[in-house]
Amino acid sequence: MEISPASINSKSLYKLMSGIVVPRPIAWVSTISENKVPNLAPFSFFTVASPDPPILCFSVGAGLFDGELKKKDTLRNIEQTKEFVIHIISTSMATNIDITSKPYPEEINEFDEANVEMESCKVVNVPKVKNAPIQMECTLENIIKVGSNNMIFGKVVNFNIKDDFYLHEHKINHLKLDPIARIANKYASISEYFNVNTKVKKNVISPDANGRRIIETN
């Protein structure tokens, strides 16, 4: 099957790409407005942009409110305050996450809607989800317009990892974490981890009796 992007509409392109690029981790992003209204929303177009300095990025599209496409509260709040928190969540909180994916008026506090407790951050002035396994406090690095979306880049200024999910030497207990992912329009759990043991072949160059080079693969 060959599909030309020019032959389908934006809704179909989203459906196709979100089904191809899988699994996608979910960034549960908390922000606060200039009027001090907290906001909480999930984004699955999310990844690491740089490990040093630690920069995360996620993509925000327009939201559909009363049949009209408008700027999402998350984007507007970050533009205003230059701060946000990205949470990594276990599958056990799928219902809470899904509740915050719905469109709400800007005066609504999604923490209340999802029945999750707020907690103050150590560095940024944004509330975070108290019982989230991993919380990453971020300051805005840049916002880049990319097609129909806005790519938000944030520098992590504080990692908060619950002790139950931290092993040692900067390693995470992923079996305990059971991070939630997105596959197309469904949520997913990664239930199996494995290593691939591949023997690396090396070319050994040595001369023969006549001084000619012989290349052997071990």
Side-chain angles (χ1 to χ4, degrees):
M1 171 64 70
E2 292 188 11
I3 302 174
S4 169
S7 69
I8 57 179
N9 59 32
S10 58
K11 183 177 181 179
S12 297
L13 280 169
Y14 177 89
K15 182 178 179 181
L16 180 64
M17 293 181 71
S18 63
I20 291 173
V21 183
V22 294
R24 301 188 307 280
I26 297 177
W28 207 14
V29 182
S30 64
T31 59
I32 193 167
S33 71
E34 286 185 331
N35 296 324
K36 306 304 179 184
V37 179
N39 182 268
L40 190 59
F43 298 89
S44 66
F45 286 10
F46 160 58
T47 192
V48 175
S50 165
D52 186 15
I55 295 177
L56 303 173
C57 64
F58 65 99
S59 180
V60 182
L64 188 63
F65 300 93
D66 298 326
E68 184 180 353
L69 289 175
K70 297 181 180 179
K71 181 182 292 187
K72 289 186 176 179
D73 294 342
T74 298
L75 175 58
R76 187 192 64 251
N77 291 349
I78 292 174
E79 288 176 334
Q80 292 174 349
T81 69
K82 310 295 190 287
E83 295 180 332
F84 56 96
V85 181
I86 291 180
H87 308 79
I88 303 299
I89 302 298
S90 302
T91 56
S92 60
M93 298 187 73
T95 299
N96 307 91
I97 292 172
D98 192 61
I99 289 172
T100 63
S101 69
K102 313 304 180 187
Y104 295 98
E106 60 184 78
E107 65 271 14
I108 295 297
N109 180 344
E110 283 86 355
F111 284 83
D112 293 339
E113 297 296 318
N115 194 30
V116 293
E117 188 174 351
M118 291 192 302
E119 185 178 49
S120 298
C121 285
K122 182 177 181 179
V123 180
V124 301
N125 295 310
V126 176
K128 63 183 179 180
V129 178
K130 183 176 182 178
N131 61 337
I134 299 174
Q135 308 146 342
M136 294 175 284
E137 301 176 37
C138 302
T139 56
L140 178 64
E141 280 286 303
N142 201 1
I143 298 177
I144 300 176
K145 180 70 175 177
V146 182
S148 61
N149 285 21
N150 287 275
M151 184 67 72
I152 298 175
F153 294 85
K155 181 179 179 180
V156 181
V157 292
N158 188 49
F159 293 96
N160 189 343
I161 305 165
K162 303 296 187 186
D163 291 343
D164 289 348
F165 304 95
Y166 187 78
L167 291 175
H168 54 85
E169 298 180 347
H170 309 108
K171 295 180 181 179
I172 304 299
N173 186 339
H174 295 109
L175 290 174
K176 177 76 174 178
L177 177 60
D178 187 23
I180 192 169
R182 193 78 163 158
I183 295 181
N185 65 342
K186 295 180 173 61
Y187 296 102
S189 172
I190 301 172
S191 58
E192 183 178 356
Y193 300 85
F194 60 91
N195 293 318
V196 176
N197 296 318
T198 303
K199 183 178 180 180
V200 178
K201 294 183 178 181
K202 297 181 180 180
N203 290 330
V204 178
I205 303 175
S206 58
D208 65 4
N210 298 315
R212 294 173 300 190
R213 294 197 315 164
I214 297 176
I215 301 176
E216 299 176 346
T217 301
N218 292 337

